């Protein structure tokens, strides 16, 4: 009885999402184990199964689009092939995306590995009206092609039959020769001559493959070459740099680009020879493509996109209004409740202004963030977000950003009135770390809703004739500054190549409500957990800065005395009027009391840590035209930009000024000798661009790191100050 079975090693390779894992599981069932390739985080999966008389050992290689040295996955895949030399490679390709998938196939062929193609997803292709002629493809490529549906297991047995046959029949690796055009073909021949003469790296790679990798400037192979034989490596490199220089001079391209072009040319030529039949007619045009005809249309596309982005903005800021107002009412009630419970004094002030406002500050954003993430999940899950990125990429790429950056910008105030907190969180849709950071760091330059009352106050006071025009101008300016600073970051601290935009537009899907809710809730909860405690802590700190050390008992006593004087009776000069009209005096008494209260609040603010800092900073800030009162307001603005208006009110001893009723404060500023149009614009510029409020800072820290959060505070403040000083000094020079 024959019991010995032969063992055949197979490797499963293909693009991400081609169906590798599905096929792997179908073939091996539970007989698999997952590990890591030594030292890196790429999954290594191996399984085995019996087929006919053979024991098959199957390795699942990481999914890749290419075999360059650009990513760990690609290195792992090709190292595995050349070092382990599996007896056959099953190259799984997505039939509905033939052209892109064949790029990797093409490189396997060039490497010469014994190979068979599993033509997967023929059901999907069929739905899209595409049919791939497997036999024709097999003839043209010179390797077996077996149509399968990995999901159902259809074609699995034929596939393995053929794979076993290939493994048994193979003798040597047979690299495919693709022509790369006159210039390169000649160089490749020369390189191959040197390589073969010296047996250079030949135990690992075919000579032609090494030659091409040298032309492609492949770090890994060039390093390996240097270690093997320094002088030959140097000869090859100098040959390559000659031809490379020549190509750059004559055609302004690098060899890599020419190589890629020819590979695509080779693939196209194969596909054109009757491999693909599109059975498109209007009825069967794949639904997604049909939608895309309209949605990414040159004219309609941008209009629809603007409408969708505006819709997202509406969802985030309008739909959340009601829950936000409920929360606000709840916290008002709660402050009132606490106020009634506690005696006047520091504790009460801390609990109300520090703790309750702090918690309110954290939770107040929750509805906003929830609605925003819901909107984004909807766009993401339906597949539309990829289209937005696709359409915006050309514009944003100029500034070193990604098409997806548009959303954070819009949310942060690209349409005036947004908020940088959801904006910062929305950068999660960006994959490349550098593009994400550049977006994260520049969205706070937009005109968020909290800056608007300040802008309205100053524009209303000094430029009341052209309000709308100035508002528009400042919105444009915020865009310009944000995009240009992104460009600056991307060419300095965040330097790096842009991520190639893979034009992978997933088909449209109907998102499930369950999926949307899970996405939304997970992300919102993360915000509460990660940012909540820090925000609460800082909010107490800011309260302390605006409160301590506070007025000395003597000063308080002096104010109390003034009040007592008013309360105890009319002063000498208006005795007679008082007798005539008690009501009127009561009125003026109230006013006097209010003035005393205002003066006391001003004095207290001036005596606080923030006040002292504001006064100390006057020596620098006067270059931008800011006096100490403005400074204090700006320091308060770090808590939240809308605080600037109310703090200015206190600093000008007007008591608490409501942001909606700021016209009297505007008049006050108009008359104040410290203020004029120049100062107003300098202040506007500073407020638009200086440090983000601390809640945004905490979010930046959580999304990136504290290092970047500190960078953002410093960079923005210094930048804003320089702009303000330049502007103020210029207006002074021009009078
Ligand atoms: P991998 O990235 O190559 O491992 O791809 P997966 O095995 O994870 O497959 C990607 C997606 O395609 C999954 O949702 C699979 O269920 C689906 N899929 C795989 N093969 C087929 C197929 O033949 N037909 C269809 N309709 N879907 C498939
Ligand atoms: Mg997989």
């Amino acid at each position: 009885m024959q019991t010995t079975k032969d063992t055949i090693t197979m490797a499963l390779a293909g693009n991400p999402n081609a169906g590798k894992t599905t096929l792997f599981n179908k073939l091996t069932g539970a007989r698999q184990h997952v590990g890591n390739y030594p030292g890196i985080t790429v999954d290594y999966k191996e399984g085995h199964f019996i087929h006919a008389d053979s024991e098959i050992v199957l390795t699942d290689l990481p999914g890749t689009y290419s075999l360059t040295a650009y990513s760990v996955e690609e290195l792992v895949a090709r190292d595995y092939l050349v070092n382990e030399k599996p007896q056959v490679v099953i190259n799984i390709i997505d039939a509905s995306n033939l052209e892109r998938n064949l790029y990797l196939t093409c490189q396997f062929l060039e490497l010469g590995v014994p190979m068979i193609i599993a033509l997967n997803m023929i059901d999907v292709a069929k739905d899209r009206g595409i049919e791939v002629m497997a036999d024709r493809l097999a003839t043209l490529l010179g390797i077996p092609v077996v149509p399968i549906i990995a999901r159902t297991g259809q074609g699995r047995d034929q596939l393995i039959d053929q794979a076993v046959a290939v493994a048994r029949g193979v003798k040597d690796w047979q690299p495919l020769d693709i022509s790369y055009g006159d210039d390169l073909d000649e160089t490749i021949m020369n390189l191959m001559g040197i390589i073969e003469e010296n047996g250079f790296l030949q135990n690992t790679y075919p000579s032609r493959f090494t030659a091409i990798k040298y032309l492609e400037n492949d770090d890994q192979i060039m390093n390996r070459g240097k270690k093997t034989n320094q002088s030959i490596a140097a000869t090859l490199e100098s040959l390559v740099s000659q031809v490379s220089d020549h190509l750059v001079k004559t055609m302004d391209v690098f060899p890599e680009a020419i190589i890629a072009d020819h590979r695509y040319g080779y693939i196209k030529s194969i596909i054109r020879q009757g491999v693909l039949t599109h059975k498109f007619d209007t009825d069967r045009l794949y639904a997604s493509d049909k939608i895309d005809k309209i949605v990414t249309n040159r004219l309609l596309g941008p209009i629809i996109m603007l409408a969708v982005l505006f819709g997202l903005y509406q969802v985030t800021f309008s739909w959340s209004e009601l829950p936000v107002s409920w929360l606000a009412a709840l916290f008002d009630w709660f402050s009132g409740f606490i106020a009634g419970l506690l005696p006047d004094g520091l504790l009460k002030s801390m609990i109300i202004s520090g703790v309750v406002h702090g918690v309110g500050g954290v939770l107040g954003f929750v509805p906003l963030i929830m609605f925003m993430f819901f909107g984004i999940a909807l766009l993401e899950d339906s597949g539309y977000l990829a289209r937005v990125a696709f359409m915006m990429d050309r514009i944003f790429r100029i500034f070193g950003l990604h098409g997806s950056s548009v959303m954070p910008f819009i949310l942060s105030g690209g349409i005036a009135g947004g908020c940088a907190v959801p904006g910062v969180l929305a950068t999660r849709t960006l994959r490349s770390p550098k593009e994400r950071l550049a977006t994260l760091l520049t969205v706070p330059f937009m005109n968020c809703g909290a800056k608007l009352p300040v802008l309205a106050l100053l524009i209303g006071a000094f430029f009341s004739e052209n309000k709308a025009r100035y508002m528009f101008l400042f919105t444009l300016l915020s865009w310009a500054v944000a995009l240009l600073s992104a460009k600056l970051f991307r060419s300095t601290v965040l330097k790096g190549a842009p991520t190639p935009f893979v034009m992978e537009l997933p088909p449209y899907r109907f998102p499930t409500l369950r999926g949307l809710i899970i996405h939304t809730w997970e992300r919102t909860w993360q915000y509460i957990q990660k940012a909540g405690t820090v925000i609460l802590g800082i909010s107490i700190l800011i309260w302390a800065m605006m409160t301590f050390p506070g007025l000395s008992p003597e000063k308080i006593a002096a104010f109390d005395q003034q009040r007592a004087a008013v309360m105890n009776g009319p002063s000498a000069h208006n005795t007679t009027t008082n007798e005539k009209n008690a009501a009127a005096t009561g009125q003026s008494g109230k006013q006097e009391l209010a003035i005393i209260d205002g003066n006391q609040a001003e004095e207290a603010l001036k005596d606080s840590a923030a006040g002292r800092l504001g006064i100390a900073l006057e020596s620098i800030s006067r270059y931008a035209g800011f006096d100490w009162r403005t400074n204090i307001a700006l320091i308060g603005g770090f808590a939240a930009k809308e605080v600037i208006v109310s703090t200015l009110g206190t600093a000008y001893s007007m008591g608490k000024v409501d942001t909606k009723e700021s016209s009297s404060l505007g008049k006050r500023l108009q008359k104040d000798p410290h203020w004029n149009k120049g100062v107003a614009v300098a202040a506007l510029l500073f407020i638009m661009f200086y440090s983000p409020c601390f809640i945004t800072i905490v979010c930046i820290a959580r999304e990136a790191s504290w290092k970047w959060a500190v960078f953002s505070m410093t960079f923005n403040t210094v930048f804003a100050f320089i702009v303000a000083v330049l502007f103020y000094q210029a207006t002074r020079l021009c009078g």
Side-chain angles (χ1 to χ4, degrees), residues 420-667:
V421 171
V424 163
L425 298 180
T427 59
R428 289 195 193 163
T429 50
L430 285 140
R431 299 269 178 273
S432 141
K434 284 184 178 165
E435 285 164 1
R436 172 155 187 242
L437 254 178
T439 312
L440 201 81
L441 291 174
T442 49
V443 290
F445 286 132
M446 307 311 281
N447 280 333
C448 69
K451 291 179 195 167
L452 290 185
V454 198
L455 299 195
L457 166 73
L458 293 177
I459 292 174
F462 293 94
F463 305 96
S464 50
E465 334 78 74
N466 285 319
K467 254 188 206 165
R469 197 182 303 169
Y470 274 93
M471 269 309 200
F472 183 65
L473 197 79
F474 283 118
T475 303
L476 284 189
L477 185 66
S478 66
W479 271 101
V481 167
L483 291 176
L484 290 175
S485 48
K487 180 77 191 167
L488 176 71
F489 293 155
R490 287 290 275 130
S491 31
T492 53
V493 282
L494 295 173
K495 205 169 177 164
T499 39
F501 191 82
V502 184
M503 260 205 355
E504 196 171 13
L505 299 181
Y508 289 102
R509 284 198 188 85
F510 268 109
T512 63
L513 191 61
R514 208 182 111 81
L516 292 179
I517 290 172
I518 292 175
H519 267 152
T520 307
W521 176 245
E522 277 177 358
R523 292 169 172 176
T524 309
W525 180 235
Q526 262 180 11
Y527 158 79
I528 298 175
Q529 273 182 314
K530 282 177 145 187
T533 43
V534 188
I535 291 175
L536 183 58
I538 298 181
S539 127
I540 294 176
L541 203 76
I542 291 176
W543 163 82
M545 264 189 74
M546 309 283 282
T547 310
F548 290 110
L551 287 178
S552 59
E554 299 89 69
K555 281 188 184 165
I556 296 178
F559 280 113
D560 283 345
Q561 227 170 358
Q562 288 182 26
R563 261 189 291 263
V566 178
M567 306 262 269
N568 284 344
S571 41
H573 70 272
N574 61 3
T575 315
T576 46
T577 35
N578 182 43
E579 280 165 352
K580 279 178 191 160
N581 193 338
T585 330
Q587 197 62 31
S588 82
K590 246 186 206 160
Q591 267 177 21
E592 274 180 63
L593 279 179
I595 291 172
I596 295 169
D597 283 350
N599 286 339
Q600 182 173 1
E602 179 195 334
E603 278 297 314
L605 186 61
K606 205 171 160 184
D607 258 359
S608 70
R612 288 170 195 209
L613 187 61
I615 294 168
L617 283 175
E618 208 181 42
S619 59
I620 313 171
S621 71
R622 65 192 169 86
Y623 292 108
F626 306 158
D627 66 349
W628 63 271
R629 296 168 204 264
T630 314
N631 290 351
I632 299 180
L634 294 173
I635 294 168
F638 181 63
K641 300 280 150 101
E642 62 264 47
V643 169
I644 295 175
V645 174
S646 59
T647 314
L648 264 181
T650 311
Y652 277 92
S653 56
M654 299 187 57
K656 236 185 157 45
V657 172
D658 190 347
T659 48
K660 288 182 195 95
E661 304 279 333
S662 59
S663 56
S664 53
L665 176 58
K667 291 210 185 80

Side-chain angles (χ1 to χ4, degrees), residues 358-376:
V359 176
V362 178
L363 295 185
F365 282 103
V366 166
L368 209 76
I369 287 171
M370 239 163 75
F371 279 95
M372 179 223 24
F373 277 138
F374 185 83
I376 289 186

Side-chain angles (χ1 to χ4, degrees), residues 34-56:
V34 182
N36 262 351
Y37 288 95
I40 45 177
T41 56
V42 179
D43 267 356
Y44 169 92
K45 258 207 287 187
E46 196 179 86
H48 52 95
F49 59 96
I50 308 290
H51 181 85
D53 279 335
S54 311
E55 152 127 62
I56 315 277

Side-chain angles (χ1 to χ4, degrees), residues 15-22 120-121 123-124 149-151:
N15 287 8
N17 284 322
K20 275 179 331 91
T21 306
T22 311
N120 192 30
M121 308 226 194
D123 54 333
V124 180
I149 300 178
R151 209 184 244 178

Side-chain angles (χ1 to χ4, degrees), residues 255-302:
E256 297 102 290
I258 299 187
I259 291 174
D261 281 353
H262 278 85
R263 281 192 192 127
Y264 276 119
Y266 171 77
I267 294 164
K268 278 216 168 73
S269 73
I270 286 190
I271 290 178
R272 270 203 213 107
Q273 298 176 57
V275 167
L276 266 190
T277 55
H278 289 266
K279 292 208 187 108
F280 285 155
D281 52 43
T282 35
D283 281 294
R284 294 192 53 196
L285 196 64
Y286 184 53
S288 265
D289 292 346
K290 225 194 258 172
I291 300 174
D292 271 338
K293 278 250 157 71
I294 302 165
V295 164
T296 59
N297 175 282
R298 266 167 177 259
L299 279 174
L300 279 177

